[in-house]
Every structure is written in C-alpha cells, then in structure tokens.
Amino acid sequence: MPTVSQNALFGMGNPLLDISAVVDKDFLDKYGLKPNDQILAEEKHKALFDEIVKKSKVEYHAGGSTQNSVKIAQWMVQEPHKVATFFGCIGTDHFGEILKQKAAEAHVDAHYYEQSQEPTGTCAACITGDNRSLVANLAAANCYNKEKHLDVDRNWSLVEKARVYYIAGFFLTVSPESILRVAKHASDNNKIFGLNLSAPFISQFFKEPLMKVMPYVDIVFGNETEAATFAKEQGFETEDIAEIARRVQSLPKVNKNRQRIVVFTQGREDTVATVGDKVKIFPVLDIDQNDIVDTNGAGDAFVGGFLSELVQEKPLEECIRAGHYAANVIIRRVGCTFPEKPDFH
C-alpha cells in the first residue's frame, strides 16, 4: 500500500533547459561572472549563449530549480508515479518538447502553460572545478500567467490535492501573485509551504515580494551565501549562520499551528537547521574531491531529497538525511541528473 498519494507534492517555477559546459577563468571574466553565482541574463550575456554551445563537451539537461527538486523528490519516492506535480511556462519549440519528455521520463505530472510569444527558457551552466556560475535566460518561463493557468479549475484542483508545496525564490521574479495564492491556500489549510531563498539577487532586488510571502512560509531553504545576503538586507547585523536561522524562524507567521523550520546548507560544511527552539548542525556525507563532477543542482537535489521524506511525513532529521544523500549523488554527475534508482535506506 503506497504511503503517499499522487499529486501530494506541488511545485511551480521556471522550467529551463540547462546548457552545461566546462569553461575557464577567462570565459568567466569576459562575461563578468563570479565562479559560483546565479544571475539573470542581461544584454551583455547574449553572446555567452552562442559561445557556450560551441564548447567541445556541451551537454543539455532539463533544469530549472524547482523542477529539478520535484524530479529528485519523485525519483527518491519511486512509487507511485506522479507524486510530484509541476507548473511552469514553456515555448512551443524543440527545447519545450525536450522538457516535456524529460518530465514524463521522471514520472512528474508536469502541466506546462504553453505560449508561442517567447522560446523555452535556457540556463547556461558555466562549470569551473567544483563551482558553477548559472546565467538564466528566462524567456518563456517569464510568461507564466496566473489567470490563464493557475486559476483554471482543472489546474487549481491539482494544487488542492497537494499536502506539501515548494517554490524556489527564483519564481518571485515571474509571478509573485501565483506564489501568494498557493502559499495562502497552504496556510489556510494547515498544509506545508516551502520556499527557497535561491540566490543573493532575490533577497537584494526582490525583497518586497519575498517578504510578502514570508508570513506563509513553513520551511525556508537556502545556502550560506543566500542566508548571509538575506540577513544583511534585513538588517540582522549578524553573520553567524545559526543566529540568522533563528532570526528567520522568528519572522512573523500567519499559521501559528506550525513553527517555521529554517534549513541552510553550506556546501561541504555542515547543514544548519532549526529543530523546535534549537539550532542543530547536521554533517553532510563525506566525498572525495575527485568524485565531484559538478555541483550544479546540488542545492536543488538537497531540497528534492528533503521533500521526498517530508511528503511521507518523516521527521526532520530523516528529511535532512535524505537531502544529503540526494545531493551526494547529484554532485557525482553532470547537471541535475540521477541514476535509475536511489540507494537510500
């Protein structure tokens, strides 16, 4: 008897096709990129996309932060299929077809809003050593339309079916009103809503929509850089990650039945999480530096593993352990890809 029902996990975000290649420092410098960052493409990056596809070992993988996470969650759960639902916007083009095919192969119940104004979004993953610099050209992903998709009865009924919701902060740049409708639904019905800080630029330049949704957020995810940026932007005046976690936990919250959980990953360093009124540290799995292929998707994988246990109502410690397992698998492979079956016990 499966413990988890179909469409129990709902994700919404920017479906992107990752274009991944190993580059050198000159390439990063040429386009003004930091070795480890996530940014939105500007005019000056247009040539970057033309250049990266000409690299000798360029690889194409289905990406998009939230989509990666729900795929990993589905992979960890295995059965039944379509535990995870995903909404996002694509173009009516070849890249869009690839994303549809990859979602189907991952057994995710993807319902894309399809439009022909903009092509399917892409993300250049510029790999140097165990760093990745991500440059996202949202294109179609930016055209998600609440009225034409989320609010349509057959789509909203899938939202209502879910128990756990997860949206990466990246989607705040696209449709904050869609996020709010889902977050309020979760809060009103005592379901679980998770949000990722996603990138420093979200805390810096999308502060208003971020703080508008925060009162409805039950679980906040982020990495050490994002946590530090958020703290700075909010005037916390501390760089101590445990203290930042505490402060984020105590931000105003609408549904008082659930204490907010804050989970900060720190790459190879310990993961920090609030457990009740305490902050605990959880060591990650050891990995030999030589086994790391690329860290693109590691954070998404952590969340995916975490959600896979959360949706099965497992305790926080188990969710984090599953997150660490999934991230450890993903960093041994290119992009956010995974073997046929997980080996998590």
Side-chain angles (χ1 to χ4, degrees):
M1 182 65 197
T3 50
V4 58
S5 55
Q6 289 191 315
N7 306 109
L9 173 64
F10 175 85
M12 176 167 62
N14 300 331
L16 306 174
L17 190 74
D18 281 356
I19 305 169
S20 180
V22 173
V23 302
D24 54 21
K25 189 178 180 303
D26 290 344
F27 183 92
L28 296 180
D29 292 344
K30 180 176 173 182
Y31 294 106
L33 303 177
K34 293 176 188 163
N36 218 26
D37 202 9
Q38 307 92 293
I39 63 167
L40 293 179
E42 297 168 38
E43 202 53 49
K44 66 179 179 188
H45 299 115
K46 290 281 187 277
L48 180 156
F49 286 85
D50 301 328
E51 190 175 339
I52 199 166
V53 297
K54 297 191 182 83
K55 295 277 173 198
S56 58
K57 288 186 181 160
V58 63
E59 297 201 27
Y60 293 84
H61 296 284
S65 185
T66 306
Q67 184 167 247
N68 284 342
S69 293
V70 299
K71 266 185 196 165
I72 296 276
Q74 178 66 53
W75 170 70
M76 289 281 287
V77 171
Q78 289 283 307
E79 301 281 333
H81 292 166
K82 297 191 174 181
V83 164
T85 315
F86 179 76
F87 287 5
C89 182
I90 58 175
T92 48
D93 51 24
H94 177 57
F95 283 176
E97 289 304 315
I98 294 175
L99 290 186
K100 277 198 246 183
Q101 179 197 331
K102 293 294 181 189
E105 284 171 11
H107 308 300
V108 168
D109 194 13
H111 294 258
Y112 296 112
Y113 172 56
E114 296 181 48
Q115 50 73 57
S116 48
Q117 279 4 90
E118 287 280 344
T120 297
T122 50
C123 177
C126 311
I127 312 294
T128 52
D130 59 5
N131 285 323
R132 86 284 177 271
S133 198
L134 306 178
V135 184
N137 180 26
L138 297 185
N142 205 25
C143 300
Y144 189 81
N145 186 305
K146 178 175 172 285
E147 288 72 27
K148 289 183 179 165
H149 196 264
L150 184 70
D151 296 346
V152 176
D153 288 346
R154 67 172 184 275
N155 293 330
W156 185 252
S157 68
L158 288 167
V159 176
E160 292 180 321
K161 268 180 89 172
R163 290 204 303 265
V164 174
Y165 302 83
Y166 173 69
I167 300 177
F170 289 125
F171 202 58
L172 287 162
T173 77
V174 174
S175 185
E177 60 284 356
S178 294
I179 300 179
L180 267 176
R181 184 173 183 202
V182 172
K184 283 178 176 168
H185 167 79
S187 182
D188 292 346
N189 294 278
N190 196 30
K191 296 174 181 181
I192 301 173
F193 182 85
L195 185 82
N196 205 312
L197 296 177
S198 290
F201 81 85
I202 298 293
S203 293
Q204 291 167 311
F205 307 116
F206 293 87
K207 205 181 294 190
E208 195 187 344
L210 173 61
M211 296 319 285
K212 227 175 179 167
V213 75
M214 194 60 79
Y216 305 100
V217 180
D218 298 296
I219 308 179
V220 176
F221 295 98
N223 68 22
E224 72 280 33
T225 323
E226 292 147 14
T229 306
F230 181 83
K232 191 173 165 211
E233 291 295 325
Q234 295 298 317
F236 286 179
E237 293 182 355
T238 177
E239 286 172 22
D240 179 272
I241 192 138
E243 183 55 29
I244 295 171
R246 255 184 226 105
R247 298 284 295 269
V248 173
Q249 181 182 43
S250 59
L251 289 168
K253 193 167 187 301
V254 172
N255 177 11
K256 304 283 192 265
N257 297 318
R258 290 182 189 278
Q259 186 178 27
R260 183 179 292 121
I261 295 168
V262 182
V263 186
F264 291 145
T265 57
Q266 308 187 81
R268 70 182 74 219
E269 303 300 323
D270 298 343
T271 294
V272 173
T274 59
V275 183
D277 294 328
K278 297 189 176 69
V279 177
K280 290 194 182 168
I281 57 171
F282 298 85
V284 298
L285 294 162
D286 279 332
I287 185 165
D288 188 324
Q289 192 64 26
N290 300 325
D291 291 334
I292 299 177
V293 174
D294 79 50
T295 54
N296 184 20
D300 298 338
F302 172 83
V303 173
F306 187 107
L307 294 171
S308 72
E309 300 303 291
L310 184 67
V311 81
Q312 297 175 76
E313 299 176 21
K314 300 280 173 62
L316 179 68
E317 287 76 1
E318 276 302 285
C319 296
I320 291 173
R321 196 169 71 85
H324 286 162
Y325 167 78
N328 187 273
V329 169
I330 264 61
I331 59 181
R332 298 168 190 270
R333 306 167 65 93
V334 173
C336 199
T337 60
F338 37 87
E340 193 188 346
K341 282 198 161 59
D343 180 25
F344 177 75
H345 306 289

